[in-house]
Amino acid sequence: MGKEKLVVEVLAAHNLMPKDGQGSSSPYVEVEFEYQRQRTQPKHKDLNPAWNEQLLFDVSDPDDLPYRSIDVGVYNERGAEGNGAGGRNFLGKVRVPAAGVPAPGEQAVPQIFPLEKRSLFSHIRGEITLKIYRIVADGHLALAKKDGGGKKKKNGVNPSNNNQSSPAVIVPPLPRKRAPQPARKEDSVPPDAEQIALAAPNRPYPMTFTLAGAGGGGGPHDFALKETQPLLGGGGERDKSSSTYDLVEKMEYLYVRVVRARDLPLAGGMVHAEVKLGNYRGVTRPFARTDANWDQVFAFSRDNIQSSAVEVFVREGGGPTTKDDFIGRLAFDLGEVPRRVLPDSTLAPQWCRMEGKVGGRAKGEVMLSVWFGTQADEAFAEAWHSRAAGVVGDGLSSIKAKVYMAPKLWYLRVSIIEAQDLVVSSSVPARLPKLFAKAQVGVYVLHTQLPSALPNPSWNEDLLFVVAEPFDDILTVSVEDRLSPGHEELLGRLTVPVSAIERRLDDKPAASRWFALDRGQGSGHSGGRVHLRLSLDGGYHVLDEAAAHNSDLQPTSRQLWERPVGILELGILSASGLAPSKPGGTYCVAKYGPKWIRTCTVVDSTSPRWNEQYTWEVFDPCTVITIGVFDNNRVAHGPPGMDTRIGKVRIRLSTLQTDRVYIHAYPLLAVHPSGVRKVGELQLAVRFSCADAASMLHAYARPMLPKMHYAEPVPTNQIERLRFQAIQTVTARLGRAEPPLGREVVEYMLDHGSHLWSMRRSKANFLRLVLVFSGLAAIRRWFEFVRSWQRPFHSAVFTMVFLFFVFSPELILPTAFFTTAVVGLCRYRSRPRHPPQIDLRLSHVDAVCADDLDEELDTFPTSRSPEVVRMRYDRLRSVAGRVQMRLGDMATVAERAESLLSWRDPRASFLFLMFCLLAAAVIYSVPTKVLVAAWGLYALRPPSLRDRLPSPLTTFFERLPTKDDILL
């Protein structure tokens, strides 16, 4: 057996302290073990470096390892800035006991270690990820030799310069097969899944990272769903505040609430307060000296605390501070700040006398309160956060977490029945007037068809609009005469406020009325009258989402709502792997039912952490919640831009087990011209709690849509138009909130462009259809296999079973249902353990060409060149030609069946009638069981008794005439 080696894989570090004086660092890692010292390459100006380097150390005595330790230090290399300065800065250290290092052949897992201070006055933060294990040099050692790799190292230290040897690359040993371990109570993890344990202070392995889902590879760039186990609700140190925030990780904040000031010197002028904690500084709005009522809250993350005291200054003016604008200050030791534990009430603010520049008392007092809390505090949503220290002006309002309620949408039904006493112009003699009615609500205009009865036209048409509460729109109905295309003459007009229209909740028709028309020429002359039936229909559900992704199916009127069947809780934890965005931040939007939520914006981070929890009432389990991730482009200076969409995740509630917490990292996938890309991961915690099991099960028997959709259906040709109008209405209302939800955000969440043509989606839908009928095709192939008698025993057994069921038909249905139940119970053990994920093969992104993706990402109307559009049009014509041929084949089969009794072919019809008479006599005289048995035996006869030519019935049917001969 060879000599053992110790391998230290330095993977990455996170959130390091900037030490180069320019807000960054050039870190490298130095590892020391048994007087051997090696280091990695430095990463230039990177506070979240990823090294992925492996360092090799000799183990003198494996039995002595329990008494040894591994010292890991992180340093900033000063020479990496190019300023000629040498030396290094300390960024943190970790001491790992060698007693727990896996032996050769055992599985090694990455571990996260928090960086420790070297002394009491060190300013250190961040974590480092290491993977430590032992190998046998003879069996598993592989050195990757590069230029100069054979040179000796000086003083046992790996140099960092380019002209010296790089660290050795180690191939880790293959893990030995472990004994199976008992599964958890909720569900079991597949035995072949990859597990990564992450370590935290005082807890050896509090978090596991498991790749889950079909087709998920073990690489970091896969598209698989990943199951995680973070410390939700504070982990083992759960307090009262975690009882309501148990789906997110606990985040501590220092809150400073500055209420107002009094007795300030020198009346008049403007004053403002300034809260300072280390390098972070927050400023209140300026107020007049006589009315300094700020009432603002400042929140500093526990991770950003770099000082032992928080200071509050009161200064003159409202602009940049100077040395001479000082009025007074207050200082609070963080060790004396109280901690608020929910559900305790808010800490009462107190009057505090300020200090002067030299330490004496200053004139004036400030009312404030200081406390430690979590994100569950009421002040969290409206507070100024230290992570947004660089955001000023109007951008501050766009980074706060908000809850939006979508407007209540109604269908406005305008039934135009008839018109009378119309005054038609006689400027053109012998011309028949072309009268039609037109209705307008806002910018949406609909009109009736041209009538057939004159001069009192009758239409009897229903025009539907979408309106939102509060009703501030005006309905305008006019009757016009079409003189020529694009030229109409107004015969009369009327206006009705939408708020004055009758509301109805069932299918009983509203009362109709006659309305007088005004010619609109200022003379007050009557232009006749029109018969209308107006109603606001509250029994419908106004569709604003795609039918496949509905999150709400309740009618508009709350009086018709059912009782909720459960509660949906969503914890938006964090995201990772996001691309660096423009100066701004990242936020999430979740939509379920009429309730929209928007998380706070995490500024300048590719791995944002939100840890916000929200709750919805669930009225139907067969609904979908949508969560989208966006880049906030309204934070930067200058005019606000459109927010950039990153990706979204959908979760169907019916696929979740009740009262179970699902914690997964969902891949964020986006379609680009070069193909599908994984743009990051979104970590979510979801729990669907059942309030009433009987109501939950009864919901599966209720109709999907409210009763009005079946009693008085909305015309199919108007559903998409009404959905588009509903999206525009919701977009306009949410865009007027503060902070606004942009049009691009709402349309992306509601799948505004799902109706547009896409060759990839068309192929994907065809593949779905093929998969649906694949079961029937498999049954047919199996039946043909039985008929072939390739296995005589199986064919004989099937024939006997068939004859048994023919002569005992009362056992067919019980056996079929019992067999189905047994198969379902057997499949329960292999049921899906995780929520569904994106199927790339089913989405047809693994074999799509670049031009199909470019066509899908094209705007509407198109923005491509005429040559490209002509090529795509020709391709679409070829595809449509094949579809046309299949439709023609289906029509041919139907026409042949119809021609049996049409006497278009008199000889064929005569033969068919003779066959029907003979079949009636045979079926009447012979028992049905005998006929079915005879047919089955005939179909199952061996191939030696069958003819390869088609049957006479098939030949007769193929000779029947069709209408293809008379088709132009």
Side-chain angles (χ1 to χ4, degrees), residues 569-597:
E569 299 170 274
L570 173 67
I572 303 177
L573 304 179
S574 61
S576 61
L578 302 180
S581 60
K582 300 176 182 179
T586 310
Y587 67 94
C588 290
V589 174
K591 195 266 181 190
Y592 184 79
K595 181 178 177 181
W596 297 62
I597 66 97

PDB file of all heavy atoms in Angstrom, residues 569-597:
ATOM      1  N   GLU A 569     -48.206  29.076   1.516  1.00  0.00           N
ATOM      2  CA  GLU A 569     -47.129  29.884   2.087  1.00  0.00           C
ATOM      3  C   GLU A 569     -45.894  29.751   1.202  1.00  0.00           C
ATOM      4  O   GLU A 569     -45.496  28.631   0.855  1.00  0.00           O
ATOM      5  CB  GLU A 569     -46.814  29.444   3.510  1.00  0.00           C
ATOM      6  CG  GLU A 569     -47.988  29.594   4.462  1.00  0.00           C
ATOM      7  CD  GLU A 569     -47.720  28.940   5.797  1.00  0.00           C
ATOM      8  OE1 GLU A 569     -47.976  27.729   5.914  1.00  0.00           O
ATOM      9  OE2 GLU A 569     -47.247  29.630   6.718  1.00  0.00           O
ATOM     10  N   LEU A 570     -45.319  30.870   0.873  1.00  0.00           N
ATOM     11  CA  LEU A 570     -44.150  30.907  -0.014  1.00  0.00           C
ATOM     12  C   LEU A 570     -43.032  31.671   0.675  1.00  0.00           C
ATOM     13  O   LEU A 570     -43.223  32.812   1.106  1.00  0.00           O
ATOM     14  CB  LEU A 570     -44.517  31.581  -1.344  1.00  0.00           C
ATOM     15  CG  LEU A 570     -43.350  31.843  -2.305  1.00  0.00           C
ATOM     16  CD1 LEU A 570     -42.785  30.525  -2.825  1.00  0.00           C
ATOM     17  CD2 LEU A 570     -43.805  32.719  -3.473  1.00  0.00           C
ATOM     18  N   GLY A 571     -41.888  31.046   0.765  1.00  0.00           N
ATOM     19  CA  GLY A 571     -40.684  31.698   1.265  1.00  0.00           C
ATOM     20  C   GLY A 571     -39.695  31.887   0.132  1.00  0.00           C
ATOM     21  O   GLY A 571     -39.206  30.906  -0.440  1.00  0.00           O
ATOM     22  N   ILE A 572     -39.432  33.140  -0.236  1.00  0.00           N
ATOM     23  CA  ILE A 572     -38.465  33.453  -1.281  1.00  0.00           C
ATOM     24  C   ILE A 572     -37.116  33.650  -0.593  1.00  0.00           C
ATOM     25  O   ILE A 572     -36.886  34.668   0.069  1.00  0.00           O
ATOM     26  CB  ILE A 572     -38.887  34.699  -2.069  1.00  0.00           C
ATOM     27  CG1 ILE A 572     -40.286  34.498  -2.660  1.00  0.00           C
ATOM     28  CG2 ILE A 572     -37.896  35.007  -3.174  1.00  0.00           C
ATOM     29  CD1 ILE A 572     -40.814  35.706  -3.404  1.00  0.00           C
ATOM     30  N   LEU A 573     -36.243  32.661  -0.712  1.00  0.00           N
ATOM     31  CA  LEU A 573     -35.007  32.643   0.057  1.00  0.00           C
ATOM     32  C   LEU A 573     -33.885  33.421  -0.618  1.00  0.00           C
ATOM     33  O   LEU A 573     -33.450  34.460  -0.126  1.00  0.00           O
ATOM     34  CB  LEU A 573     -34.579  31.195   0.308  1.00  0.00           C
ATOM     35  CG  LEU A 573     -35.617  30.315   1.009  1.00  0.00           C
ATOM     36  CD1 LEU A 573     -35.082  28.902   1.181  1.00  0.00           C
ATOM     37  CD2 LEU A 573     -35.994  30.902   2.355  1.00  0.00           C
ATOM     38  N   SER A 574     -33.440  32.940  -1.773  1.00  0.00           N
ATOM     39  CA  SER A 574     -32.261  33.556  -2.384  1.00  0.00           C
ATOM     40  C   SER A 574     -32.194  33.128  -3.837  1.00  0.00           C
ATOM     41  O   SER A 574     -32.984  32.315  -4.319  1.00  0.00           O
ATOM     42  CB  SER A 574     -30.983  33.142  -1.640  1.00  0.00           C
ATOM     43  OG  SER A 574     -30.811  31.730  -1.703  1.00  0.00           O
ATOM     44  N   ALA A 575     -31.230  33.678  -4.524  1.00  0.00           N
ATOM     45  CA  ALA A 575     -30.906  33.300  -5.900  1.00  0.00           C
ATOM     46  C   ALA A 575     -29.396  33.187  -6.006  1.00  0.00           C
ATOM     47  O   ALA A 575     -28.650  33.796  -5.224  1.00  0.00           O
ATOM     48  CB  ALA A 575     -31.445  34.318  -6.905  1.00  0.00           C
ATOM     49  N   SER A 576     -28.955  32.416  -6.978  1.00  0.00           N
ATOM     50  CA  SER A 576     -27.523  32.225  -7.163  1.00  0.00           C
ATOM     51  C   SER A 576     -27.241  32.039  -8.646  1.00  0.00           C
ATOM     52  O   SER A 576     -28.123  31.671  -9.426  1.00  0.00           O
ATOM     53  CB  SER A 576     -27.024  31.005  -6.368  1.00  0.00           C
ATOM     54  OG  SER A 576     -27.677  29.826  -6.811  1.00  0.00           O
ATOM     55  N   GLY A 577     -26.001  32.301  -9.007  1.00  0.00           N
ATOM     56  CA  GLY A 577     -25.575  32.098 -10.381  1.00  0.00           C
ATOM     57  C   GLY A 577     -26.108  33.125 -11.352  1.00  0.00           C
ATOM     58  O   GLY A 577     -26.078  32.890 -12.562  1.00  0.00           O
ATOM     59  N   LEU A 578     -26.600  34.279 -10.876  1.00  0.00           N
ATOM     60  CA  LEU A 578     -27.119  35.300 -11.776  1.00  0.00           C
ATOM     61  C   LEU A 578     -25.969  36.031 -12.453  1.00  0.00           C
ATOM     62  O   LEU A 578     -24.873  36.185 -11.886  1.00  0.00           O
ATOM     63  CB  LEU A 578     -27.990  36.296 -11.015  1.00  0.00           C
ATOM     64  CG  LEU A 578     -29.190  35.706 -10.259  1.00  0.00           C
ATOM     65  CD1 LEU A 578     -29.966  36.821  -9.562  1.00  0.00           C
ATOM     66  CD2 LEU A 578     -30.098  34.941 -11.195  1.00  0.00           C
ATOM     67  N   ALA A 579     -26.228  36.497 -13.642  1.00  0.00           N
ATOM     68  CA  ALA A 579     -25.214  37.262 -14.358  1.00  0.00           C
ATOM     69  C   ALA A 579     -25.106  38.658 -13.764  1.00  0.00           C
ATOM     70  O   ALA A 579     -26.109  39.226 -13.308  1.00  0.00           O
ATOM     71  CB  ALA A 579     -25.576  37.353 -15.847  1.00  0.00           C
ATOM     72  N   PRO A 580     -23.918  39.237 -13.724  1.00  0.00           N
ATOM     73  CA  PRO A 580     -23.788  40.611 -13.223  1.00  0.00           C
ATOM     74  C   PRO A 580     -24.634  41.558 -14.060  1.00  0.00           C
ATOM     75  O   PRO A 580     -24.568  41.575 -15.289  1.00  0.00           O
ATOM     76  CB  PRO A 580     -22.293  40.911 -13.376  1.00  0.00           C
ATOM     77  CG  PRO A 580     -21.636  39.574 -13.448  1.00  0.00           C
ATOM     78  CD  PRO A 580     -22.618  38.660 -14.112  1.00  0.00           C
ATOM     79  N   SER A 581     -25.483  42.343 -13.375  1.00  0.00           N
ATOM     80  CA  SER A 581     -26.399  43.245 -14.068  1.00  0.00           C
ATOM     81  C   SER A 581     -25.830  44.652 -14.073  1.00  0.00           C
ATOM     82  O   SER A 581     -24.796  44.948 -13.489  1.00  0.00           O
ATOM     83  CB  SER A 581     -27.772  43.232 -13.384  1.00  0.00           C
ATOM     84  OG  SER A 581     -27.650  43.654 -12.041  1.00  0.00           O
ATOM     85  N   LYS A 582     -26.560  45.520 -14.747  1.00  0.00           N
ATOM     86  CA  LYS A 582     -26.193  46.930 -14.757  1.00  0.00           C
ATOM     87  C   LYS A 582     -26.341  47.499 -13.352  1.00  0.00           C
ATOM     88  O   LYS A 582     -26.897  46.849 -12.469  1.00  0.00           O
ATOM     89  CB  LYS A 582     -27.100  47.678 -15.730  1.00  0.00           C
ATOM     90  CG  LYS A 582     -27.005  47.174 -17.166  1.00  0.00           C
ATOM     91  CD  LYS A 582     -28.001  47.890 -18.051  1.00  0.00           C
ATOM     92  CE  LYS A 582     -27.942  47.351 -19.483  1.00  0.00           C
ATOM     93  NZ  LYS A 582     -28.932  48.022 -20.357  1.00  0.00           N
ATOM     94  N   PRO A 583     -25.869  48.727 -13.114  1.00  0.00           N
ATOM     95  CA  PRO A 583     -26.039  49.297 -11.777  1.00  0.00           C
ATOM     96  C   PRO A 583     -27.501  49.281 -11.385  1.00  0.00           C
ATOM     97  O   PRO A 583     -28.332  49.979 -11.939  1.00  0.00           O
ATOM     98  CB  PRO A 583     -25.496  50.723 -11.937  1.00  0.00           C
ATOM     99  CG  PRO A 583     -24.544  50.635 -13.076  1.00  0.00           C
ATOM    100  CD  PRO A 583     -25.115  49.598 -14.007  1.00  0.00           C
ATOM    101  N   GLY A 584     -27.840  48.429 -10.456  1.00  0.00           N
ATOM    102  CA  GLY A 584     -29.232  48.257 -10.060  1.00  0.00           C
ATOM    103  C   GLY A 584     -29.306  47.132  -9.060  1.00  0.00           C
ATOM    104  O   GLY A 584     -28.504  47.042  -8.132  1.00  0.00           O
ATOM    105  N   GLY A 585     -30.262  46.243  -9.231  1.00  0.00           N
ATOM    106  CA  GLY A 585     -30.434  45.145  -8.307  1.00  0.00           C
ATOM    107  C   GLY A 585     -31.416  44.140  -8.858  1.00  0.00           C
ATOM    108  O   GLY A 585     -31.926  44.267  -9.963  1.00  0.00           O
ATOM    109  N   THR A 586     -31.684  43.126  -8.052  1.00  0.00           N
ATOM    110  CA  THR A 586     -32.542  42.023  -8.443  1.00  0.00           C
ATOM    111  C   THR A 586     -33.687  41.907  -7.453  1.00  0.00           C
ATOM    112  O   THR A 586     -33.477  42.038  -6.236  1.00  0.00           O
ATOM    113  CB  THR A 586     -31.738  40.708  -8.487  1.00  0.00           C
ATOM    114  OG1 THR A 586     -30.557  40.916  -9.263  1.00  0.00           O
ATOM    115  CG2 THR A 586     -32.554  39.593  -9.087  1.00  0.00           C
ATOM    116  N   TYR A 587     -34.871  41.656  -7.983  1.00  0.00           N
ATOM    117  CA  TYR A 587     -36.044  41.456  -7.129  1.00  0.00           C
ATOM    118  C   TYR A 587     -36.917  40.369  -7.723  1.00  0.00           C
ATOM    119  O   TYR A 587     -36.759  39.975  -8.888  1.00  0.00           O
ATOM    120  CB  TYR A 587     -36.844  42.752  -6.958  1.00  0.00           C
ATOM    121  CG  TYR A 587     -37.508  43.261  -8.216  1.00  0.00           C
ATOM    122  CD1 TYR A 587     -38.828  42.931  -8.523  1.00  0.00           C
ATOM    123  CD2 TYR A 587     -36.830  44.083  -9.111  1.00  0.00           C
ATOM    124  CE1 TYR A 587     -39.437  43.398  -9.668  1.00  0.00           C
ATOM    125  CE2 TYR A 587     -37.431  44.555 -10.263  1.00  0.00           C
ATOM    126  CZ  TYR A 587     -38.735  44.210 -10.527  1.00  0.00           C
ATOM    127  OH  TYR A 587     -39.334  44.671 -11.673  1.00  0.00           O
ATOM    128  N   CYS A 588     -37.843  39.860  -6.923  1.00  0.00           N
ATOM    129  CA  CYS A 588     -38.761  38.805  -7.340  1.00  0.00           C
ATOM    130  C   CYS A 588     -40.192  39.333  -7.292  1.00  0.00           C
ATOM    131  O   CYS A 588     -40.528  40.184  -6.460  1.00  0.00           O
ATOM    132  CB  CYS A 588     -38.646  37.578  -6.447  1.00  0.00           C
ATOM    133  SG  CYS A 588     -37.128  36.648  -6.633  1.00  0.00           S
ATOM    134  N   VAL A 589     -41.016  38.806  -8.168  1.00  0.00           N
ATOM    135  CA  VAL A 589     -42.450  39.088  -8.189  1.00  0.00           C
ATOM    136  C   VAL A 589     -43.172  37.751  -8.197  1.00  0.00           C
ATOM    137  O   VAL A 589     -42.828  36.862  -8.992  1.00  0.00           O
ATOM    138  CB  VAL A 589     -42.852  39.923  -9.419  1.00  0.00           C
ATOM    139  CG1 VAL A 589     -44.363  40.084  -9.497  1.00  0.00           C
ATOM    140  CG2 VAL A 589     -42.180  41.289  -9.375  1.00  0.00           C
ATOM    141  N   ALA A 590     -44.146  37.585  -7.305  1.00  0.00           N
ATOM    142  CA  ALA A 590     -44.959  36.375  -7.247  1.00  0.00           C
ATOM    143  C   ALA A 590     -46.414  36.765  -7.426  1.00  0.00           C
ATOM    144  O   ALA A 590     -46.873  37.780  -6.878  1.00  0.00           O
ATOM    145  CB  ALA A 590     -44.755  35.637  -5.926  1.00  0.00           C
ATOM    146  N   LYS A 591     -47.138  35.940  -8.181  1.00  0.00           N
ATOM    147  CA  LYS A 591     -48.533  36.219  -8.495  1.00  0.00           C
ATOM    148  C   LYS A 591     -49.368  34.976  -8.260  1.00  0.00           C
ATOM    149  O   LYS A 591     -49.100  33.915  -8.828  1.00  0.00           O
ATOM    150  CB  LYS A 591     -48.639  36.673  -9.952  1.00  0.00           C
ATOM    151  CG  LYS A 591     -49.965  37.332 -10.306  1.00  0.00           C
ATOM    152  CD  LYS A 591     -50.977  36.392 -10.867  1.00  0.00           C
ATOM    153  CE  LYS A 591     -52.275  37.129 -11.214  1.00  0.00           C
ATOM    154  NZ  LYS A 591     -53.380  36.224 -11.546  1.00  0.00           N
ATOM    155  N   TYR A 592     -50.372  35.113  -7.402  1.00  0.00           N
ATOM    156  CA  TYR A 592     -51.347  34.057  -7.190  1.00  0.00           C
ATOM    157  C   TYR A 592     -52.678  34.714  -6.891  1.00  0.00           C
ATOM    158  O   TYR A 592     -52.820  35.442  -5.904  1.00  0.00           O
ATOM    159  CB  TYR A 592     -50.935  33.125  -6.052  1.00  0.00           C
ATOM    160  CG  TYR A 592     -51.879  31.961  -5.885  1.00  0.00           C
ATOM    161  CD1 TYR A 592     -51.809  30.868  -6.725  1.00  0.00           C
ATOM    162  CD2 TYR A 592     -52.859  31.972  -4.901  1.00  0.00           C
ATOM    163  CE1 TYR A 592     -52.681  29.795  -6.589  1.00  0.00           C
ATOM    164  CE2 TYR A 592     -53.738  30.925  -4.756  1.00  0.00           C
ATOM    165  CZ  TYR A 592     -53.646  29.831  -5.602  1.00  0.00           C
ATOM    166  OH  TYR A 592     -54.525  28.786  -5.472  1.00  0.00           O
ATOM    167  N   GLY A 593     -53.643  34.462  -7.749  1.00  0.00           N
ATOM    168  CA  GLY A 593     -54.939  35.115  -7.584  1.00  0.00           C
ATOM    169  C   GLY A 593     -54.804  36.610  -7.813  1.00  0.00           C
ATOM    170  O   GLY A 593     -53.978  37.083  -8.602  1.00  0.00           O
ATOM    171  N   PRO A 594     -55.607  37.404  -7.115  1.00  0.00           N
ATOM    172  CA  PRO A 594     -55.500  38.857  -7.289  1.00  0.00           C
ATOM    173  C   PRO A 594     -54.348  39.489  -6.521  1.00  0.00           C
ATOM    174  O   PRO A 594     -54.111  40.680  -6.645  1.00  0.00           O
ATOM    175  CB  PRO A 594     -56.848  39.362  -6.756  1.00  0.00           C
ATOM    176  CG  PRO A 594     -57.253  38.345  -5.742  1.00  0.00           C
ATOM    177  CD  PRO A 594     -56.724  37.025  -6.232  1.00  0.00           C
ATOM    178  N   LYS A 595     -53.605  38.704  -5.747  1.00  0.00           N
ATOM    179  CA  LYS A 595     -52.543  39.240  -4.897  1.00  0.00           C
ATOM    180  C   LYS A 595     -51.193  39.080  -5.581  1.00  0.00           C
ATOM    181  O   LYS A 595     -50.781  37.982  -5.930  1.00  0.00           O
ATOM    182  CB  LYS A 595     -52.540  38.530  -3.546  1.00  0.00           C
ATOM    183  CG  LYS A 595     -51.486  39.027  -2.566  1.00  0.00           C
ATOM    184  CD  LYS A 595     -51.606  38.293  -1.253  1.00  0.00           C
ATOM    185  CE  LYS A 595     -50.518  38.715  -0.265  1.00  0.00           C
ATOM    186  NZ  LYS A 595     -50.632  37.970   1.018  1.00  0.00           N
ATOM    187  N   TRP A 596     -50.543  40.204  -5.782  1.00  0.00           N
ATOM    188  CA  TRP A 596     -49.182  40.246  -6.322  1.00  0.00           C
ATOM    189  C   TRP A 596     -48.251  40.687  -5.201  1.00  0.00           C
ATOM    190  O   TRP A 596     -48.599  41.579  -4.410  1.00  0.00           O
ATOM    191  CB  TRP A 596     -49.071  41.237  -7.472  1.00  0.00           C
ATOM    192  CG  TRP A 596     -49.881  40.938  -8.687  1.00  0.00           C
ATOM    193  CD1 TRP A 596     -51.233  40.852  -8.769  1.00  0.00           C
ATOM    194  CD2 TRP A 596     -49.382  40.707 -10.005  1.00  0.00           C
ATOM    195  NE1 TRP A 596     -51.623  40.576 -10.051  1.00  0.00           N
ATOM    196  CE2 TRP A 596     -50.505  40.487 -10.838  1.00  0.00           C
ATOM    197  CE3 TRP A 596     -48.116  40.672 -10.571  1.00  0.00           C
ATOM    198  CZ2 TRP A 596     -50.389  40.241 -12.198  1.00  0.00           C
ATOM    199  CZ3 TRP A 596     -47.997  40.426 -11.930  1.00  0.00           C
ATOM    200  CH2 TRP A 596     -49.121  40.203 -12.721  1.00  0.00           C
ATOM    201  N   ILE A 597     -47.061  40.087  -5.140  1.00  0.00           N
ATOM    202  CA  ILE A 597     -46.069  40.542  -4.160  1.00  0.00           C
ATOM    203  C   ILE A 597     -44.779  40.856  -4.887  1.00  0.00           C
ATOM    204  O   ILE A 597     -44.464  40.277  -5.928  1.00  0.00           O
ATOM    205  CB  ILE A 597     -45.852  39.508  -3.039  1.00  0.00           C
ATOM    206  CG1 ILE A 597     -45.211  38.216  -3.605  1.00  0.00           C
ATOM    207  CG2 ILE A 597     -47.141  39.206  -2.326  1.00  0.00           C
ATOM    208  CD1 ILE A 597     -43.730  38.119  -3.458  1.00  0.00           C
TER     209      ILE A 597
END
